[in-house]
Amino acid sequence: MKFYVNAAAARSGNGSAEYPFRTIQEAANIAKPGDEVLVYPGIYREYVNPIHAGTEEARITYTSTEPLGAVISGAEVVKNWVPYEGNVWAARIPNGIFGSYNPYTTLVSGDWYIATFIAHTGEVYLNDKSLYEVTELDKVLNPVISKSSWDKDFSVYTWYTEQDEERNETVIYANFQGADPNQENVEINVRENCFYPAKEGVGYITLSGFHVTKAATQWAPPTAYQEGMIGPHWSKGWIIEDCEVSHSKCSGISLGKYKQPNNDNKWLKWKFKDGTQTERDCICQAQREGWTKENIGSHIIRRCNIHDCGQTGIVGHLGGVFSLIEDNHIHHINNKQNLAGAEIGGIKMHAAIDVIYRRNHIHHCTRGLWLDWQAQGTRVTQNLFHDNTLPYAGDDVDLNDPGLGEDIFIEVSHGPTLVDNNLLLSERSMKLPTQGVALVHNLIAGSFVSVGIGTDNGSSELPSPRYTPYHVPHRTEINGFMTFLHGDMRFYNNIFIQQPVRTCMNKIMDWMQGEGRNVWDDNNMYTGTWVYDDGYQLQEEWERAFDGYCGMGSPVSDRYYIHLPVWADGNVYFNGARAWKKETNSIIDTEHQVYIAMEEKDGEWKLKTNLYEVLPEIQSATISTATLGMAFEPEQLFENPDGTPIIFNTDYFGNHRSVNPTAGPFERAEDAAKKLN
């Protein structure tokens, strides 16, 4: 059955084409498996709570009849601004509009959030651009440019809020820098979510073609009820496609976990048990309470434009397993730098078991893709990453809070994690406090960071190793927990290019490798596999440590605690990028200087480089699952989610590779000049 929704209808009808509903929620109340909800263009200022689930055979589909014409907004327009002083205006909002959730009394908070950054879940928008919250009225009257913002000029558009309890009103003061807010489009966050089931298990929903925007979402760590503007809320089989997702206070789309009342932000609330342990507790509890392949995950997010969210574009823990995230444009995440903590990125997912990320374009984010814990069977392929870093304007940085990011961060996972046919062009390409990763046919123009460190919890004196789980292959059931030996890394047929290092990054690197040294980040800025020189062996060397030993009674030895082996072959290095000292079949080009950059024109991105004018031929081999072997701890092959082997015989564009393929992501030199987004 088809139901129609039109915000412009004179009055709400019965949902027919002739007499459509005026709100999407009216259709969501009655839509059943197989039904389709068709929504006409307009702004729908409502929280849509899908009541009924579809089925695998009969989905419930919500479609915007005009692509991006139907806007689901968590905001309301404010037109009652009065002049206060100078460029500052004030507005009084009756608290009744907020119901039981007032974003202007609710602080952003949760595990792994840096609480020194005081922020409410509310926002103020001027012509679809969010202003900067400050903690006192004087900073609205006398705003100061934010050094950490990507948009420093706009950072002087500030706002402050307080409560008038006697009148039961929220008072907002905002500096519009000369604009008249009653003549412009000024909105404020009102609703916590936009399209999100209130209950668990509402699966097999499709959301297609909507613009979803401006929700007062809460911080979404892995140990909490992870919410977003859009999300399946602990169910199975959602499809979110062809949507624009923008301006969530925290996260745009959540593939996150359900609420465990006994263990919801427990680290923040109880404090006596470390957050890493409460996360382990969350995972084990979820397994007891139905976290299985049959019940949870297998979602698809495709062809979405996700931007200008404060914490993440996509977030998830446990609930995103077995999902496909493809052909999305994810950009300008956390650019205000008004939120800080360990859960920020274009995509931040824990337990990305058998998740495939492919053909996404991720750029201008504080961090691109963060795979934290249990990146087992995860594949990152044919993606374009660039400009995921500190802002480029100026070299004045706060050394105590440098806000560093990179294209891909893989943290405390046992693998197998597969990264192939990608362009990693930010100055820090990968952060790798992990093991069990294979990099195949990538173009890497940045450094590897935190190799051999970052897997402990960082106590001052006592040991604090992090034990993280690994799973039955292609399942959620836990097979064991283990700490990290590091290594178990594979580098095949990649191209490494050393880029010039910015003054500010050199300053940070010197500080972090000296006075600011810590267990988390060395801010290495030098490109190549050389970071595995110290203590990492070839497989045959590593195996010799076990010669003659067999079980109990063997002489005391460190053999079970040394670094795992590393494999490297067929890589090419330019501009001073350095190879692992034990790699033999590589080319280190000292003759040519390679430049590389991304350029955008009229919404299209192209690669500008002379690389393919000077790229030498190297005796490379076709790489496959058989070449890569198995990740050590889970004893699982680098293979497809269905257990079938992979042969890496196609490139970034899907073109077939030759038997002795070209290093890097492009098989043909002429493809490097193609449109990449």
Side-chain angles (χ1 to χ4, degrees):
M1 190 170 186
K2 292 185 178 181
F3 297 104
Y4 296 84
V5 181
N6 191 341
R11 64 181 64 182
S12 194
N14 59 11
S16 65
E18 296 78 14
Y19 301 102
F21 295 130
R22 291 196 66 186
T23 68
I24 302 170
Q25 186 60 51
E26 291 173 277
N29 288 337
I30 60 175
K32 298 290 180 64
D35 288 345
E36 184 174 7
V37 178
L38 299 169
V39 183
Y40 287 99
I43 299 179
Y44 297 83
R45 298 187 185 277
E46 57 177 307
Y47 158 51
V48 181
N49 171 22
I51 301 299
H52 304 290
T55 66
E56 188 171 4
E57 298 77 23
R59 310 180 63 81
I60 300 176
T61 302
Y62 295 78
T63 304
S64 173
T65 60
E66 177 185 302
L68 306 183
V71 180
I72 305 175
S73 176
E76 295 288 345
V77 174
V78 177
K79 289 293 185 186
N80 64 331
W81 296 94
V82 296
Y84 181 76
E85 182 180 323
N87 289 325
V88 177
W89 298 66
R92 289 180 168 270
I93 315 298
N95 285 336
I97 194 173
F98 302 120
S100 61
Y101 178 81
N102 185 340
Y104 303 91
T105 60
T106 305
L107 292 177
V108 176
S109 66
D111 288 351
W112 288 282
Y113 177 69
I114 296 180
T116 53
F117 285 69
I118 304 300
H120 290 89
T121 59
E123 287 278 30
V124 179
Y125 303 91
L126 172 63
N127 298 325
D128 295 320
K129 200 166 182 177
S130 62
L131 278 63
Y132 288 65
E133 184 180 7
V134 292
T135 55
E136 55 190 73
L137 181 56
D138 184 65
K139 293 180 180 179
V140 181
L141 295 166
N142 301 288
V144 177
I145 289 175
S146 168
K147 293 180 180 180
S148 56
S149 171
W150 286 75
D151 188 357
K152 291 177 172 57
D153 290 342
F154 198 76
S155 68
V156 295
Y157 289 72
T158 56
W159 67 274
Y160 168 75
T161 187
E162 62 186 18
Q163 292 294 305
D164 185 334
E165 295 183 3
E166 184 175 333
R167 297 173 60 174
N168 193 26
E169 291 177 338
T170 292
V171 185
I172 298 175
Y173 303 90
N175 192 327
F176 294 105
Q177 296 296 332
D180 182 345
N182 295 317
Q183 300 301 316
E184 307 291 339
N185 178 30
V186 176
E187 299 171 275
I188 63 169
N189 284 357
V190 171
R191 287 166 286 278
E192 190 170 6
N193 313 107
C194 288
F195 192 95
Y196 203 96
K199 64 183 181 181
E200 301 163 19
V202 183
Y204 298 104
I205 300 286
T206 295
L207 185 72
S208 183
F210 289 83
H211 182 188
V212 184
T213 188
K214 301 185 180 79
T217 50
Q218 182 57 276
W219 186 253
T223 50
Y225 166 50
Q226 283 187 313
E227 65 174 14
M229 286 198 301
I230 307 170
H233 191 182
W234 203 244
S235 66
K236 187 173 181 179
W238 274 45
I239 298 174
I240 302 167
E241 62 184 10
D242 301 307
C243 291
E244 181 174 358
V245 180
S246 71
H247 297 97
S248 174
K249 178 67 181 198
C250 289
S251 294
I253 298 173
S254 171
L255 303 181
K257 61 184 285 293
Y258 64 111
K259 186 170 185 178
Q260 298 172 336
N262 61 305
N263 197 7
D264 188 62
N265 285 314
K266 187 173 182 178
W267 187 26
L268 175 69
K269 296 172 183 176
W270 194 47
K271 301 181 182 180
F272 300 107
K273 183 180 284 190
D274 183 83
T276 298
Q277 183 61 27
T278 64
E279 186 170 343
R280 283 189 284 261
D281 291 349
C282 281
I283 295 166
C284 293
Q285 180 177 341
Q287 182 166 298
R288 295 193 305 272
E289 295 177 348
W291 180 46
T292 67
K293 189 173 186 177
E294 289 71 31
N295 296 331
I296 302 298
S298 298
H299 307 297
I300 298 173
I301 302 173
R302 60 192 176 200
R303 301 186 302 272
C304 292
N305 179 16
I306 305 171
H307 61 93
D308 290 289
C309 299
Q311 179 191 339
T312 64
I314 301 172
V315 74
H317 182 212
L318 307 178
V321 290
F322 315 112
S323 292
L324 174 63
I325 298 174
E326 64 177 358
D327 297 307
N328 300 289
H329 186 194
I330 303 174
H331 56 104
H332 297 93
I333 302 297
N334 190 236
N335 281 186
K336 290 169 68 177
Q337 297 264 299
N338 62 324
L339 302 179
E343 304 301 323
I344 286 172
I347 302 174
K348 172 67 195 283
M349 286 186 68
H350 289 74
I353 297 171
D354 281 359
V355 176
I356 297 175
Y357 305 87
R358 72 182 174 207
R359 298 191 302 270
N360 300 288
H361 182 190
I362 303 178
H363 64 97
H364 289 93
C365 300
T366 296
R367 174 168 283 124
L369 169 63
W370 189 348
L371 300 172
D372 202 351
W373 294 43
Q374 305 149 274
Q376 183 171 331
T378 309
R379 186 176 184 184
V380 182
T381 182
Q382 299 172 292
N383 300 281
L384 170 60
F385 296 89
H386 61 93
D387 296 288
N388 299 304
T389 181
L390 283 171
Y392 285 111
D395 291 327
D396 187 9
V397 294
D398 181 356
L399 291 176
N400 291 305
D401 181 33
L404 302 174
E406 51 283 319
D407 288 327
I408 302 175
F409 181 6
I410 305 173
E411 185 175 11
V412 291
S413 176
H414 301 286
T417 310
L418 179 57
V419 180
D420 69 282
N421 287 298
N422 301 282
L423 282 76
L424 307 173
L425 305 183
S426 297
E427 52 199 343
R428 291 166 36 126
S429 286
M430 297 187 73
K431 192 171 183 178
L432 291 169
T434 195
Q435 62 190 45
V437 180
L439 282 81
V440 181
H441 280 293
N442 299 286
L443 175 53
I444 301 169
S447 61
F448 293 154
V449 183
S450 300
V451 169
I453 64 173
T455 57
D456 289 351
N457 257 342
S459 63
S460 60
E461 300 292 338
L462 299 174
S464 57
R466 279 194 281 181
Y467 289 81
T468 66
Y470 53 94
H471 300 261
V472 174
H474 313 298
R475 299 286 305 179
T476 60
E477 289 81 1
I478 296 169
N479 224 4
F481 289 82
M482 193 52 191
T483 57
F484 292 86
L485 303 176
H486 302 279
D488 198 20
M489 303 291 293
R490 298 142 177 86
F491 304 94
Y492 289 102
N493 299 352
N494 301 288
I495 299 172
F496 294 89
I497 302 172
Q498 176 71 54
Q499 297 185 82
V501 180
R502 287 187 288 154
T503 301
C504 70
M505 298 303 284
N506 259 325
K507 185 190 299 184
I508 295 169
M509 181 170 61
D510 290 345
W511 179 75
M512 294 185 75
Q513 295 180 354
E515 180 186 349
R517 184 181 297 274
N518 62 66
V519 299
W520 305 109
D521 196 319
D522 54 13
N523 196 38
N524 168 55
M525 294 302 299
Y526 301 124
T527 304
T529 53
W530 69 274
V531 289
Y532 289 91
D533 279 355
D534 187 13
Y536 296 89
Q537 305 178 84
L538 297 166
Q539 181 182 13
E540 54 268 29
E541 295 175 306
W542 174 76
E543 288 181 354
R544 286 190 205 114
F546 297 84
D547 286 351
Y549 294 125
C550 185
M552 286 292 293
S554 299
V556 174
S557 166
D558 292 330
R559 62 191 180 277
Y560 293 111
Y561 307 101
I562 59 177
H563 290 325
L564 296 168
V566 171
W567 295 260
D569 193 90
N571 301 299
V572 181
Y573 300 82
F574 287 100
N575 296 4
R578 293 152 54 191
W580 180 42
K581 65 183 180 182
K582 297 192 176 186
E583 182 176 359
T584 54
N585 182 35
S586 66
I587 294 178
I588 301 172
D589 187 301
T590 58
E591 179 181 356
H592 304 99
Q593 189 70 23
V594 171
Y595 67 84
I596 189 163
M598 290 299 302
E599 291 188 2
E600 185 265 341
K601 184 178 180 182
D602 299 327
E604 293 188 354
W605 289 87
K606 289 191 176 181
L607 182 68
K608 298 294 182 181
T609 183
N610 65 338
L611 170 63
Y612 288 90
E613 298 170 18
V614 300
L615 183 64
E617 291 187 8
I618 186 170
Q619 188 62 37
S620 60
T622 298
I623 306 303
S624 67
T625 294
T627 313
L628 299 177
M630 70 179 188
F632 175 78
E633 207 65 65
E635 301 179 27
Q636 178 179 331
L637 297 172
F638 291 81
E639 60 191 5
N640 287 309
D642 63 1
T644 58
I646 302 171
I647 299 176
F648 297 90
N649 58 4
T650 55
D651 73 355
Y652 178 92
F653 288 109
N655 297 319
H656 193 75
R657 291 189 181 274
S658 64
V659 174
N660 296 112
T662 304
F666 306 123
E667 181 64 14
R668 302 191 302 252
E670 59 267 26
D671 287 341
K674 285 184 179 179
K675 181 177 72 171
L676 295 181
N677 60 320

